[in-house]
């Protein structure tokens, strides 16, 4: 195995440094040693700027999500109480929507394009925010963008957040295992197959690279060793969850006298799939495989699923969303909504715990969580639930705009593009920006 030659702990490492062996390649996170010593002494190196957009296409119960009051003294809603001790890490924005985008459930395909007249006769979509950003920025990572989805594979060609400049849908990747392999397993076909066989026999990418990792770790200063240990722990945890997910598929299913619901399968573990995809998302950022990720959480197509209590819902996610104020449906929806936000909170905490260039990964990573529906019960596409975390913005606020005459959501997109380093004053239906969160 050809290893890395590091002459001393003070040596400068290339920005794209890998551990390699047996057909696998593990990209390393940004380390201080990857900054030339002269640059460290003179000027700080700019950390990568990143953007993650998560869309739950059935939204949240607005009465539980929307805060009261405005500015920094707003009152947390029942859902936002889950973030009470980190309220300075995010901003809630209300009174936003896309003008003319009113095609009910089909509007998830327009969340990042703002193209009006969703799927009416002659409709043609436009370029999505992620693809627009990727066009404007130099390619400094293996993947310009990653387009992911927690959805049925058969639905991936119908629902997406990403569209080309010609309005062509880019299907999301729906398998966390495949995304993981895409990031970390490479080499000639025979080597790749040997490694995949090894993983199926309860092996590990990290086991394969263990000797190389230990040798490399000894050459690093203390801060970089801690950073690398955190990263390798994240890789190990994702491997273990992927392995566990595979083992569940091999276990015999319990017997029951009940008639099994149609099309349940693994979809009952909807939130396990979401958590695993978020873990892979975090690894993609930590390894600098990409800096722009979209994730559609396709609750619209989720059949009967398990709540965090392991209770099974009484009907599909879509049917729950049309609750008609039914108490039992509302109870199950609230439990599901809370789990979405618990997983979002976990991701925010994880990125806040990762040091990067003297700050935290969260400070360099925008996380936009939202929906194309303000109220899925009545197919309302106004007053969308929007939460923006990280990215170094001036958070801790509730920005409340006119609920009768919404501000374009694309105004927020303009500010996000500028935060990424894209020099633009407009995007889609924007009429300005949302620089209230920048302090400018």
């Amino acid at each position: 195995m050809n290893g890395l030659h590091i002459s001393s702990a003070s040596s400068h490492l290339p920005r794209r440094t890998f551990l390699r062996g047996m057909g696998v390649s593990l990209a390393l996170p940004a380390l201080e040693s990857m900054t030339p010593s002269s640059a460290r002494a003179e000027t700080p190196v700019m950390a990568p700027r990143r953007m993650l957009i998560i869309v739950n296409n059935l939204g949240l119960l607005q009465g539980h999500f929307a805060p009261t009051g405005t500015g920094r003294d707003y009152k947390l809603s029942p859902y936002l109480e889950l973030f009470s001790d980190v309220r300075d890490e995010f901003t809630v924005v209300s009174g936003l929507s896309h003008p003319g985008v009113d095609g009910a459930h089909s509007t998830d395909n327009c969340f990042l394009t703002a193209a009006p007249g969703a799927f009416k006769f002659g409709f043609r979509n436009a370029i999505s925010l992620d693809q627009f950003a990727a066009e404007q920025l130099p390619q400094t990572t293996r993947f310009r963008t990653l387009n992911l989805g927690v959805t049925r594979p058969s639905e991936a060609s119908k629902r997406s957040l990403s569209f080309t400049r010609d309005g062509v849908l880019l299907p999301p990747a729906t398998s966390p295992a495949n995304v993981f392999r895409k990031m970390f397993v490479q080499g000639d076909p025979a080597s790749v197959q040997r490694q995949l066989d090894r993983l199926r026999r309860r092996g590990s990418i990290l086991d394969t690279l263990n000797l190389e990792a230990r040798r490399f770790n000894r050459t690093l200063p203390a801060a970089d060793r801690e950073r690398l240990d955190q990263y390798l722990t994240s890789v190990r945890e994702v491997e273990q969850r992927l392995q566990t997910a595979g083992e569940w598929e091999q276990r015999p299913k319990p017997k029951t006298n009940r008639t099994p619901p149609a099309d349940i399968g693994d979809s009952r573990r909807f939130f396990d799939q979401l958590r695993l995809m978020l873990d892979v998302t975090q690894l993609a950022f930590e390894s600098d495989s990409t800096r722009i990720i979209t994730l559609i959480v396709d609750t619209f197509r989720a059949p009967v699923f398990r709540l965090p209590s392991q209770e099974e819902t009484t009907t599909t996610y879509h049917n729950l969303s049309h609750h008609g104020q039914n108490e039992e449906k509302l109870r199950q929806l609230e439990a599901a909504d809370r789990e979405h936000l618990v997983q979002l909170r976990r991701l925010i905490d994880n990125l806040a715990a990762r040091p990067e260039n003297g700050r935290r990964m969260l400070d360099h990573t925008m996380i936009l969580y939202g929906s194309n529906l303000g109220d899925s019960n009545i197919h309302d596409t106004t007053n969308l639930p929007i939460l923006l975390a990280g990215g170094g913005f001036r958070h801790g606020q509730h920005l409340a705009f006119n609920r009768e005459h919404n501000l374009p959501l694309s105004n927020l997109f303009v500010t996000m593009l500028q935060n990424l380093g894209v020099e633009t004053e407009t995007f889609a239906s924007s009429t300005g920006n949302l620089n209230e969160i920048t302090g400018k």
Side-chain angles (χ1 to χ4, degrees):
M1 177 172 65
N2 294 324
L4 296 165
H5 174 69
I6 309 296
S7 59
S8 71
S10 61
S11 298
H12 167 55
L13 304 179
R15 175 65 189 89
R16 299 297 294 168
T17 304
F18 299 83
L19 300 178
R20 303 178 187 273
M22 292 184 64
V24 293
S25 175
L26 185 67
L28 297 182
L31 304 172
E32 289 184 8
S33 306
M34 292 176 179
T35 305
S37 57
S38 59
R40 275 175 283 182
E42 297 169 7
T43 57
V45 174
M46 294 294 292
R49 309 297 298 183
R50 309 180 191 87
M51 177 173 70
L52 168 62
I53 298 168
I54 306 171
V55 171
N56 169 1
N57 61 6
L58 287 180
L60 302 166
L61 292 171
Q62 276 284 23
H64 292 71
F65 174 77
T68 55
T70 61
R72 297 189 171 277
D73 297 325
Y74 75 93
K75 182 180 178 182
L76 292 168
S77 64
Y79 284 173
L80 294 178
E81 284 289 347
L82 296 168
F83 300 82
S84 60
D85 56 330
V86 292
R87 63 185 291 161
D88 288 338
E89 304 284 18
F90 66 93
T91 293
V92 179
V93 190
S94 58
L96 298 181
S97 60
H98 287 311
V101 178
D102 55 1
H105 292 298
S106 59
T107 56
D108 51 7
N109 284 346
C110 300
F111 185 83
L112 293 185
T113 70
F119 301 95
K120 295 178 181 177
F121 180 77
F123 171 78
R124 184 177 182 178
N125 215 338
I127 190 170
S128 55
L129 179 69
D130 59 314
Q131 298 303 308
F132 179 83
E135 281 188 357
Q136 307 302 312
L137 297 171
Q139 183 167 358
T140 55
T141 58
R142 181 180 299 175
F143 309 112
R144 281 189 177 275
T145 66
L146 280 180
N147 178 29
L148 309 177
V150 179
T151 186
R152 298 180 188 178
S154 61
E155 297 298 321
S157 63
K158 302 174 185 176
R159 319 190 83 81
S160 180
L161 298 178
S162 295
F163 288 78
T164 69
R165 180 160 289 282
D166 294 326
V168 177
L169 181 148
L170 298 172
T174 61
S175 166
N178 286 344
V179 176
F180 186 87
R181 286 194 289 266
K182 187 178 180 182
M183 288 195 295
F184 297 125
V185 180
Q186 66 179 30
D188 62 89
S191 297
V192 170
Q193 189 58 51
R194 283 197 300 271
Q195 178 61 12
L196 294 179
D197 290 342
R198 176 179 172 81
L199 290 175
R200 279 191 283 269
R201 294 194 303 271
R202 301 178 65 85
S204 163
I205 284 177
L206 293 187
D207 289 344
T208 303
L209 299 172
N210 196 33
L211 179 62
E212 177 76 349
R214 287 202 305 267
R215 190 176 71 83
F216 178 66
N217 205 15
R218 286 197 297 267
T219 70
L220 299 174
D224 281 352
R225 286 200 300 271
E226 181 179 358
R227 177 83 176 91
L228 182 59
D229 286 343
Q230 286 181 329
Y231 173 60
L232 295 179
T233 297
S234 295
V235 174
R236 174 74 75 187
E237 289 174 350
V238 171
E239 282 191 323
Q240 290 171 345
R241 292 192 187 102
L242 287 170
Q243 177 180 302
T244 299
E247 289 174 351
W248 270 101
E249 292 303 310
Q250 304 301 318
R251 294 184 185 184
K253 293 181 173 61
K255 295 181 179 180
T256 177
N257 293 326
R258 294 176 59 187
T259 302
D263 297 323
I264 287 190
D266 189 57
S267 296
R268 289 178 302 169
R269 301 179 63 214
F270 183 83
F271 285 114
D272 291 336
Q273 183 77 355
L274 174 57
R275 175 171 176 163
L276 194 54
M277 195 64 90
L278 289 175
D279 287 342
V280 170
T281 294
Q282 181 179 326
L283 282 182
F285 283 152
E286 289 195 26
S287 62
D288 206 23
S289 295
T290 190
R291 296 175 186 174
I292 301 174
I293 300 178
T294 59
L295 173 58
I296 183 167
V297 185
D298 190 6
T299 47
F300 176 70
R301 292 293 182 185
V304 172
F305 61 98
R306 290 176 186 161
L307 295 168
S309 64
Q310 297 305 304
E311 169 195 1
E312 254 181 39
T313 57
T314 54
T315 187
T316 65
Y317 214 130
H318 181 209
N319 285 340
L320 285 179
S321 74
H322 291 294
H323 50 77
Q325 303 305 318
N326 177 277
E327 290 186 5
E328 179 57 21
K329 287 185 175 182
L330 287 169
R331 181 187 69 81
Q332 294 176 46
L333 272 179
E334 182 179 351
D337 285 355
R338 286 182 175 275
E339 181 60 17
H340 281 282
L341 296 175
V342 163
Q343 295 206 24
L344 176 63
R345 166 67 194 267
R346 175 175 169 270
L347 178 64
I348 291 171
D349 288 345
N350 286 348
L351 295 181
R354 299 295 191 270
E356 183 177 56
N357 287 45
R359 299 186 70 187
R360 310 170 303 167
M361 281 196 73
L362 182 64
D363 298 323
H364 309 131
T365 307
M366 294 178 284
I367 305 174
L368 176 67
Y369 183 91
S371 179
N372 50 292
L373 291 175
D375 185 347
S376 59
N377 182 47
I378 57 174
H379 290 168
D380 182 22
T381 57
T382 65
N383 296 305
L384 305 180
I386 299 294
L387 184 151
L388 180 69
F393 289 116
R394 191 167 64 94
H395 288 307
Q397 309 177 69
H398 173 211
L399 299 179
F401 297 100
N402 193 312
R403 294 185 62 84
E404 299 299 323
H405 302 284
N406 287 177
L407 202 67
L409 175 56
S410 293
N411 286 16
L412 175 58
F413 291 169
V414 169
T415 295
M416 294 174 66
L417 285 168
Q418 293 170 347
N419 185 270
L420 274 180
V422 177
E423 295 183 3
T424 184
E425 297 295 331
T426 62
F427 177 78
S429 58
S430 68
T431 58
N433 56 42
L434 222 64
N435 281 352
E436 290 90 339
I437 57 176
T438 66
K440 294 181 180 179

